[in-house]
Amino acid sequence: MKQQLALPALVPATQRAERRDGVVRGDLEQVFRAAYPRVVAVAARVLGSRTEAEDVAQEVFLTFGRSAVPAGEASGWLSVAAAHTALNHLRTGRRRASREEAAGASHSPVSPDVAETVLASEERRRVRAALARLPRKQAVALVLRHSGLSYAEVAAALDLSPGSVGTTVRRAESALRKELGHASSL
């Protein structure tokens, strides 16, 4: 008999994660409840949208539910998976946005308050696009560190020595600044 978990409506019953052997992870609900806020926070840091971050979290937990990742390693694994999945969504979204832009958006007169909002939104889009162009390990390290993970947690999640996390993050920040400078000169 299959064990059914009482997961929230976020994961429909027909899509509950099952491993290949057909058994639902016994620890899925416990890991989900403990790690969901962090997974959403990491994805939201990349995407800038809680709604999109929740979609990413659902994908990540479905994948985790099918995995053999030990529960003790779940936190780091889930954080890295959230960053990777969110970066993939960024890349997909950027392609979609350029297609929509090519299709033609109407431009109407803009009031100063709306203009400021648009400029701030454009700046966030530029940062996310630049982040998506960084080497994967740098982008993930930067996102995890700026999502509140400690150096030790980032090191464990990315299989780095704790001493190299600071260097990796600084290089990522430098590369991000360079990407932003390159993008603005286009």
Side-chain angles (χ1 to χ4, degrees):
M1 181 172 167
K2 274 189 196 176
Q3 177 185 4
Q4 293 295 319
L5 299 177
L7 293 177
L10 177 68
V11 181
T14 58
Q15 294 181 351
R16 289 202 177 116
E18 295 181 334
R19 294 189 308 207
R20 289 191 180 99
D21 59 8
V23 178
V24 174
R25 288 182 70 118
D27 61 355
L28 181 58
E29 182 174 9
Q30 178 184 357
V31 171
F32 175 86
R33 292 193 186 283
Y36 181 79
R38 177 173 276 173
V39 170
V40 171
V42 168
R45 172 87 49 186
V46 174
L47 297 168
S49 163
R50 180 162 174 87
T51 302
E52 289 181 50
E54 289 172 347
D55 290 344
V56 164
Q58 183 172 356
E59 283 182 50
V60 167
F61 279 102
L62 286 171
T63 302
F64 174 76
R66 294 183 194 110
S67 77
V69 175
E73 297 173 17
S75 179
W77 187 93
L78 289 164
S79 294
V80 171
H84 281 287
T85 305
L87 286 166
N88 288 342
H89 277 254
L90 257 186
R91 290 179 177 113
T92 302
R94 191 174 64 221
R95 288 190 298 265
R96 183 184 59 228
S98 65
R99 286 192 306 268
E100 289 172 356
E101 193 174 297
S106 64
H107 297 285
S108 57
V110 179
S111 71
D113 291 340
V114 173
E116 288 176 20
T117 302
V118 168
L119 289 175
S121 176
E122 178 63 20
E123 183 64 19
R124 286 190 300 274
R125 186 201 59 74
R126 284 184 57 243
V127 169
R128 289 189 181 95
L131 183 65
R133 291 189 299 270
L134 292 183
R136 181 68 72 157
K137 190 170 236 173
Q138 285 184 357
V140 172
L142 189 62
V143 167
L144 293 178
R145 183 65 185 130
H146 285 275
S147 293
L149 274 70
S150 69
Y151 276 44
E153 290 171 318
V154 173
L158 295 177
D159 197 26
L160 297 171
S161 70
S164 67
V165 171
T167 302
T168 303
V169 169
R170 281 189 299 281
R171 286 181 181 161
E173 289 169 340
S174 176
L176 183 62
R177 281 191 289 277
K178 185 177 178 180
E179 280 293 327
L180 288 170
H182 173 72
S184 66
S185 66
L186 293 178

